[in-house]
């Protein structure tokens, strides 16, 4: 018994099978996440080491070069780059795309462990960070208000961050900007010289006085007590009374005798502003594998609840929402796929001129798509622009097998066979042909999924989704379509006469036949024309532009700029202020956030391969969504270049 024959004779079994597929398909649909792009693991590892107060040349000599020499022997490394800036060393390793990044990162940590004893004692331990697209923030806000950014950052850190980090799917919350408190000891050089003291003496005394130490334990009767000495300094007065040394007469020398202790802010090495106002930037990262849309919605909802208890002068400005971009991209791609399916059904109805066969095809499309959801879930894919693009591409191919089976069934109905006989015989006749056609089409897409470079990894979900759609359509065509045909198609022979061509369909057939006959009479001319068209296409191909990704319709722009090496922070900040004025003067600008003097010492920035040094800056701009974005972006770029022709970036 063939598969079509089984489907026709066991229609109840086929119906139950359809319901099972639908059930598992809907379960898979609900479990699939939403992302902008497939989850890619880029073959990049960064090693970040901070050594505060040390110049870039010393950083390169003492830290960067030893790390480069140690890790350059790791297997699979393609390229090593480094940035040595004031207080920070960043070494970036690029591996081959087929490298297991978990093992590579472990090898890098092992190599670095061999040289940690040779690095400066005051330097922080090197951090080995893998680049992961999921570590990019899904939400970024700029918060302004309160007396100063120190109080603002403290308030956010104590109230906002803990609530957001408790949310399901949120991995971490990073804060950027804001002043930081610093207790400064201003030493009088004449006094320490008169007291015969050195800076090392003062440093050792402060470190020894600012400690909590364990004192062991004491047993009394049936109880045991832990003893510890509390030595942490709580205020400036205690610090000033710290004993540095003793005079020859045995009198104590306090820190206040040789220095002045003041409570100040740390030296400003960067600026963060939202709409020209000093701010604290908050970046929310999601856990790997979580649904970006759902995490974004939870975080925004929680933030709205928290805003009700904020002081009145705190203002929250959204600058980046990955969930919003995903929603726009997914909605657009999904609606295009749905519209393509509807148009395909309408075109089929125009040619078949019958409701029942059109209904069979209309059922074949969603059943094939639902079956594809099961395959996507098993492969661990999410709904993204690539997989949805594969489904949209597959919708046009899904109906091919069903149309061929239905046309073959019609032909046998015209011969006077019963519906059951026509369905079985018609499907058996074309079964091998549609199987070969499906496999041939899959052969085009499968090589795309086997490439190991970034283009191949991006195209793999699209190619495999199309292949799963084609397999599902073939399965539907040889099982479900015969069962539907044997149940729904009418028995009257006259209903299928138009398949041979009547009316305008017959006219089209006649036109095509005449054109084909004339073409075959001029074979040499036809082949020559095809060759000329092929050569022309080859010549035109280099003239086409190239882009890594197509242009996306997003209400967001990012400007990165760099100043000549050695430019002071105030000069960079002055230039960024002028660029901010250009953005803020435009009606379509909603939010403008700037970061000046970005260093690679921040964990988040270094993980993304950020720039370093005070001669660099980034400006993030969020626009209103009703404007013509392409025209607006070009206008803004031209305006910035017009005002700052020597600007790099």
């Amino acid at each position: 018994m063939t598969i079509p024959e089984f489907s026709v004779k066991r229609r109840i079994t086929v119906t139950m099978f359809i319901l099972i597929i639908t059930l598992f398909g809907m379960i898979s649909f609900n479990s699939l996440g939403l992302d902008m792009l497939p989850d890619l693991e880029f073959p990049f590892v960064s090693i970040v080491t901070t050594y505060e107060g040390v110049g870039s040349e010393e950083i390169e000599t003492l830290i960067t070069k030893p790390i480069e020499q140690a890790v350059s022997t790791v297997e699979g490394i393609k390229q090593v780059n480094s940035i040595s800036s004031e207080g920070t060393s960043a070494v970036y390793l690029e591996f081959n795309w087929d490298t297991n990044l978990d093992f590579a990162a472990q090898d890098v940590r092992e190599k670095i462990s061999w040289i940690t004893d040779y690095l400066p004692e005051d330097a922080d331990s090197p951090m080995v960070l893998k680049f992961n697209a999921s570590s990019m923030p899904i939400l970024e806000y700029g918060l302004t208000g309160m007396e100063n950014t120190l109080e603002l950052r403290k308030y956010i850190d104590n109230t906002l961050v803990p609530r957001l980090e408790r949310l399901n799917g949120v991995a971490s919350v990073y804060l950027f900007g804001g002043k930081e408190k610093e207790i400064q000891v201003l030493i009088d050089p004449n006094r320490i010289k008169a007291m015969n003291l050195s800076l090392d003496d003062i440093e050792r005394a402060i470190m020894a006085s600012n400690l909590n130490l364990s004192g062991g334990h004491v047993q009394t009767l049936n109880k045991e007590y832990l003893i510890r000495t509390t030595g942490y300094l709580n205020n400036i007065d205690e610090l000033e009374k710290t004993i540095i040394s003793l005079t020859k007469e045995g009198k104590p020398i306090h820190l206040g005798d040789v220095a002045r202790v003041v409570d100040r802010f740390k030296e400003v090495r960067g600026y963060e502003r939202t709409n020209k106002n000093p701010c604290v930037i908050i970046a929310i990262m999601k856990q790997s594998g979580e649904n970006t849309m759902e995490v974004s919605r939870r975080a925004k909802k929680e933030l709205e609840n928290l805003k009700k208890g904020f002081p009145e002068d705190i203002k929250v400005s959204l600058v980046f929402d990955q969930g919003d971009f995903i929603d726009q991209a997914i909605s657009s791609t999904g609606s295009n796929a749905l519209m393509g399916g509807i148009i395909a059904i309408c075109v089929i109805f125009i040619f078949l001129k019958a409701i029942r066969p059109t209904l069979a095809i209309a059922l074949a499309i969603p059943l094939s798509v639902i079956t594809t959801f099961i395959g996507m879930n098993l492969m661990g894919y999410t709904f993204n622009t690539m997989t949805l693009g594969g489904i949209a591409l597959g919708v046009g191919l899904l109906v091919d097998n069903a149309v061929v089976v239905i046309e073959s069934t019609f032909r046998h109905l015209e011969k006077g066979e019963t519906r059951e006989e026509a369905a079985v015989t018609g499907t058996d006749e074309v079964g091998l042909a549609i199987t070969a056609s499906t496999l041939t089409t899959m052969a085009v897409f499968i090589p795309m999924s086997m490439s190991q470079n970034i283009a191949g990894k991006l195209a793999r979900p699209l190619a495999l989704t199309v292949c799963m759609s084609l397999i599902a359509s073939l399965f539907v065509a040889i099982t479900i379509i015969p069962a539907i045909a044997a149940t729904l198609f009418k028995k009257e022979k006259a209903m299928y006469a138009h398949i041979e061509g009547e009316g305008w369909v017959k006219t089209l057939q006649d036109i095509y036949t005449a054109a084909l006959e004339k073409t075959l009479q001029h074979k040499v001319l036809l082949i020559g024309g095809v060759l000329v068209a092929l050569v022309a296409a080859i010549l035109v191909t280099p003239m086409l532009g190239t882009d890594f990704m197509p242009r996306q319709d997003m209400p967001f722009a990012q400007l990165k700029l760099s100043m000549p090496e050695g430019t002071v922070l105030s000069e960079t900040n002055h230039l960024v202020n002028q660029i901010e004025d250009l953005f803020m003067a435009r009606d379509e600008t909603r939010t403008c956030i700037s970061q000046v003097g970005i260093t690679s010492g921040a964990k988040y920035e270094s993980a993304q391969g950020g720039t370093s040094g005070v001669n660099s800056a980034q400006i993030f701009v969020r626009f209103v969504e009703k404007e013509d974005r392409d025209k607006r972006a070009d206008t803004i770029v031209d305006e910035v270049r017009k005002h700052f022709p020597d600007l790099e970036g």
Side-chain angles (χ1 to χ4, degrees):
M1 183 182 294
T2 62
I3 294 177
E5 186 178 357
F6 175 83
S7 301
V8 171
K9 292 184 177 181
R10 302 287 189 270
R11 274 173 265 183
I12 296 178
T13 304
V14 172
T15 302
M16 297 303 298
F17 196 59
I18 292 173
L19 294 177
I20 292 173
I21 291 176
T22 304
L23 175 62
F24 281 97
M26 296 307 296
I27 293 174
S28 299
F29 174 81
N30 291 327
S31 62
L32 293 173
L34 284 173
D35 279 308
M36 178 71 74
L37 291 171
D39 189 14
L40 296 177
E41 190 177 58
F42 292 88
F44 295 95
V45 172
S46 58
I47 308 165
V48 181
T49 312
T50 56
Y51 191 8
E52 293 187 3
V54 180
S56 57
E57 291 185 4
E58 288 75 15
I59 289 288
E60 181 179 12
T61 303
L62 299 176
I63 298 178
T64 303
K65 285 186 176 180
I67 290 178
E68 286 181 333
Q69 293 172 356
V71 301
S72 60
T73 58
V74 174
E75 184 179 357
I77 284 185
K78 183 178 179 181
Q79 191 173 6
V80 178
N81 296 311
S82 65
I83 298 177
S84 300
S85 59
E86 180 186 341
T88 304
S89 166
V91 180
Y92 305 106
L93 311 178
E94 180 182 355
F95 291 85
N96 298 319
W97 275 95
D98 57 349
T99 303
N100 187 312
L101 208 59
D102 291 328
F103 293 156
Q106 185 59 38
D107 290 342
V108 171
R109 293 187 182 96
E110 183 180 348
K111 295 289 185 181
I112 292 178
S113 66
W114 296 353
I115 64 167
T116 49
D117 293 340
Y118 301 98
L119 298 178
E121 294 183 0
D122 297 336
D124 294 334
S125 299
M127 295 185 300
V128 179
L129 306 168
K130 294 189 303 180
F131 180 88
N132 192 339
S134 63
S135 65
M136 295 290 289
I138 61 172
L139 283 168
E140 279 193 20
Y141 290 92
L143 285 77
T144 58
M146 305 192 76
E147 295 181 5
N148 53 60
T149 53
L150 173 64
E151 297 299 323
L152 177 61
R153 181 170 181 136
K154 186 184 300 183
Y155 179 82
I156 295 171
D157 205 13
N158 293 334
T159 60
L160 185 61
V161 173
R163 292 281 296 273
L164 290 176
E165 287 184 333
R166 286 204 304 263
L167 295 177
N168 185 27
V170 174
S172 57
V173 179
Y174 287 102
L175 298 181
F176 304 99
K179 296 181 178 179
E180 297 182 54
K181 187 176 181 179
E182 183 177 72
I183 304 298
Q184 298 180 357
V185 179
L186 307 178
I187 300 174
D188 188 330
N190 295 323
R191 290 187 180 182
I192 63 171
K193 185 177 182 180
M195 299 285 186
N196 196 26
L197 297 173
S198 66
L199 294 178
D200 290 338
D201 295 332
I202 297 175
E203 182 181 1
R204 283 193 295 268
I206 294 175
M207 293 177 63
S209 301
N210 192 35
L211 290 174
N212 281 354
L213 298 175
S214 173
H217 58 272
V218 174
Q219 294 181 355
T220 172
L221 298 178
N222 60 343
K223 290 187 177 181
E224 182 177 282
Y225 297 92
L226 177 67
I227 305 300
R228 68 188 184 96
T229 58
T230 57
Y232 278 143
L233 301 172
N234 298 315
N235 51 56
I236 291 179
D237 292 337
E238 291 183 3
L239 183 58
E240 289 181 335
K241 293 177 182 178
T242 300
I243 297 177
I244 304 300
S245 182
L246 297 176
T247 63
K248 294 180 180 180
E249 294 79 15
K251 294 182 179 180
I253 301 174
H254 298 93
L255 179 62
D257 297 332
V258 295
R260 184 164 55 93
V261 182
V262 295
D263 186 354
R264 292 182 178 176
F265 297 122
K266 277 189 176 181
E267 180 186 6
V268 176
R269 300 297 294 166
Y271 296 96
E272 289 79 19
R273 287 186 294 271
T274 297
N275 295 339
K276 304 283 292 182
N277 298 313
C279 74
V280 174
I281 298 174
I282 180 171
I284 302 173
M285 263 65 73
K286 75 176 182 71
Q287 295 174 355
S288 180
E290 289 289 332
N291 189 321
T292 305
M293 287 284 295
E294 290 298 323
V295 177
S296 177
R297 290 194 185 107
R298 290 191 207 110
K300 287 190 288 187
K301 183 179 179 180
E302 183 67 20
L303 186 58
E304 288 298 322
N305 294 332
L306 291 171
K307 284 168 64 176
K308 298 175 183 177
F310 280 3
E312 294 183 359
D313 59 340
I314 292 184
K315 184 178 180 181
V316 181
S317 301
L318 174 66
V319 65
F320 178 78
D321 181 4
Q322 192 177 133
D324 186 27
F325 299 156
I326 292 174
D327 186 35
Q328 294 181 23
I330 297 301
S331 298
S332 176
T333 308
S335 61
N336 290 340
L338 179 61
M339 185 61 65
I342 294 174
I343 293 174
I345 294 172
C346 293
V347 171
I348 290 169
F349 176 73
I350 291 173
F351 281 90
L352 296 182
K353 299 179 183 178
I355 293 292
R356 298 192 182 195
T358 304
L359 179 62
I361 294 175
L363 290 174
I365 292 177
L367 284 174
S368 300
V369 172
I370 289 174
T371 307
T372 304
F373 294 157
I374 300 175
M376 290 174 58
N377 191 31
L378 293 176
M379 295 288 291
Y381 290 159
T382 61
F383 285 123
N384 52 66
T385 52
M386 290 297 174
T387 53
L388 281 177
I391 293 175
L393 181 61
V395 165
L397 304 173
L398 295 179
V399 299
D400 293 349
N401 294 331
V403 169
V404 173
V405 171
I406 289 174
E407 193 278 336
S408 181
T409 303
F410 281 175
R411 189 161 49 83
H412 284 277
L413 285 169
E414 281 188 302
K415 295 178 180 179
E417 297 179 11
T418 63
R419 290 182 298 188
E420 290 78 4
E421 293 174 345
V424 173
T425 308
T427 307
D428 285 336
E429 280 187 354
V430 298
L432 183 60
I434 61 176
T435 301
S437 174
T438 301
L439 294 178
T440 302
T441 307
M442 290 175 57
V444 176
F445 289 96
I446 288 178
M448 295 174 58
S449 65
M450 301 176 67
S451 177
Q452 293 299 322
N453 57 23
I454 184 171
K457 289 183 178 292
L458 274 174
R460 181 175 299 169
L462 182 145
L464 294 182
T465 302
V466 172
C467 291
M468 287 185 287
S469 300
L470 291 172
I471 293 174
S473 70
L474 177 62
F475 170 77
V476 170
I478 63 177
T479 57
I480 298 173
I481 293 298
I484 295 175
T487 305
L488 296 181
F489 287 8
K490 288 186 176 182
K491 301 178 181 179
E492 293 82 356
K493 179 179 177 181
M495 290 298 300
Y496 311 104
H498 64 272
I499 293 297
E500 297 299 327
E502 288 184 348
W504 64 273
V505 176
K506 178 65 173 175
T507 303
L508 287 178
Q509 290 178 345
D510 294 340
I511 294 174
Y512 171 72
T513 302
L516 183 60
E517 290 176 351
K518 290 185 178 180
T519 301
L520 294 177
Q521 292 174 2
H522 302 83
K523 299 176 183 178
V524 177
L525 184 61
L526 174 63
I527 296 174
V530 171
L531 291 176
V532 171
L534 178 61
V535 172
I538 295 174
L539 295 176
V540 171
T541 300
M543 302 179 187
L544 299 176
T546 57
D547 278 311
F548 176 66
M549 292 293 291
R551 265 183 114 166
Q552 299 178 356
D553 191 22
M554 296 182 179
F556 175 81
Q558 179 179 2
L559 171 67
K560 292 185 179 181
L561 60 92
S562 59
M563 296 287 284
E565 185 177 351
T567 304
V568 295
L569 178 63
S570 58
E571 181 65 24
T572 305
N573 185 50
H574 177 67
L575 174 62
V576 173
N577 261 310
Q578 297 180 60
I579 298 177
E580 286 178 313
D581 291 335
L582 291 178
F583 284 117
M584 295 303 298
R586 306 183 70 91
D587 295 335
E588 64 267 31
T589 299
R590 177 182 293 178
T591 308
C592 179
I593 289 185
S594 60
Q595 293 177 279
V596 186
I598 304 168
T599 65
S600 60
K603 181 179 179 182
Y604 163 69
E605 283 297 333
S606 60
Q608 312 312 321
T611 56
S612 62
V614 297
N615 61 337
S616 60
Q618 296 186 76
I619 301 175
F620 306 86
V621 186
R622 185 176 180 86
F623 302 103
V624 294
E625 300 183 10
K626 62 182 180 180
E627 302 290 337
D628 182 350
R629 295 172 194 158
D630 288 341
K631 182 178 180 182
R632 175 188 58 211
D634 294 338
T635 303
I636 292 175
V637 170
D638 292 341
E639 187 170 354
V640 171
R641 288 175 175 169
K642 177 181 177 181
H643 286 79
F644 309 100
D646 299 330
L647 188 66
E648 297 180 12

